[in-house]
Amino acid sequence: MTDTDELVRRNGDFVAAEFRTRPGLTINPTGNMMVVGCVDPRVDPTRILGLGLGEAAVIRNVGGRITPATLRTMNMLGKVGAANPDGKVSGDWNLVLLHHTDCGMTDLASFPELLAEYFEIAEDELAAKSVSDPYGSVRVDTDLIRQEIRRPGFLVSGLVYDVSTGTVEITVPPTPVPAGPLPD
C-alpha cells in the first residue's frame, strides 16, 4: 500500500528529475491544449499522450465526458487563463477528448437515474449519450463541444484509448468549432 510518506518521497524524486528542468512554467499551458479524460487509474492522459509538465491543462471526470459541469469548469479555466496573459502561446487552442475501452461508465448503464443526474438530462435522453460505446461517446461529446463553444481558432478532437493494447485511435480528427454566436 502506498502511504503519504511514500508519496512525499516520490515527490522528492519528481522535484529532482522533472520539476527543476522546467523553470518558468505559467498557469497557461505551453501547448495551447486541454485534455478531458476519465478518472480510471489505467488512463492517465499525460502518460498515455506523452505530455510534459505544463504542456496541457487536464480535466478528469467519470468517463471523460462533456457534461454541464465540465463545460462550467472549462469556462472557469478560460477566465483564469485570460486573467493571466503572461505565458499565453499564440495559435489554435486544442481540446482533446480522450475516451477509452472497458470504461466503468458502462457499468453505470444499469443506473439510469444516476447517469441522468450526471449529464443533467432526463432519463429518456440517455440513449443519445452512447454510454456503453467509447467510439460513439467521443463523437457525441465532440459534437456537443461544437454546439456549445463558439470561438475562432478553437479545435476539438476525439481519441479512444484501448486499455488492452495501450494504443490511441483518432476517432474525430481535429475539427474547428464554429465561430459566431450560439444558436437559439
Side-chain angles (χ1 to χ4, degrees), residues 10-157:
R10 291 179 188 181
N11 174 253
D13 294 344
F14 160 77
V15 169
E18 189 170 348
F19 185 78
R20 290 187 182 152
T21 65
R22 297 286 210 164
L25 287 175
T26 65
I27 199 162
N28 287 309
T30 61
N32 269 4
M33 182 177 295
M34 179 181 291
V35 179
V36 178
C38 187
V39 296
D40 187 316
R42 301 170 295 174
V43 187
D44 181 344
T46 57
R47 302 275 313 264
I48 290 167
L49 301 174
L51 295 169
L53 183 64
E55 193 172 357
V58 177
I59 297 172
R60 292 177 76 175
N61 65 20
V62 176
R65 299 304 304 265
I66 300 299
T67 66
T70 311
L71 292 169
R72 289 188 294 268
T73 297
M74 290 170 59
N75 185 45
M76 291 171 68
L77 290 174
K79 295 203 182 307
V80 169
N84 294 277
D86 292 343
K88 186 163 173 48
V89 181
S90 63
D92 290 342
W93 183 260
N94 297 293
L95 174 61
V96 178
L97 307 184
L98 178 65
H99 293 194
H100 68 94
T101 61
D102 192 35
C103 185
M105 180 69 81
T106 300
D107 299 327
L108 298 175
S110 60
F111 300 96
E113 68 287 345
L114 182 63
L115 287 173
E117 181 181 355
Y118 182 62
F119 287 112
E120 298 181 28
I121 60 175
E123 285 184 36
D124 62 358
E125 297 175 47
L126 281 173
K129 291 296 182 183
S130 195
V131 170
S132 298
D133 172 19
Y135 298 92
S137 66
V138 82
R139 284 186 201 95
V140 166
D141 285 358
T142 55
D143 286 347
L144 180 59
I145 289 296
R146 295 188 81 246
Q147 292 169 18
E148 294 293 328
I149 295 177
R150 295 289 186 264
R151 202 168 115 193
F154 193 99
L155 305 172
V156 61
S157 58

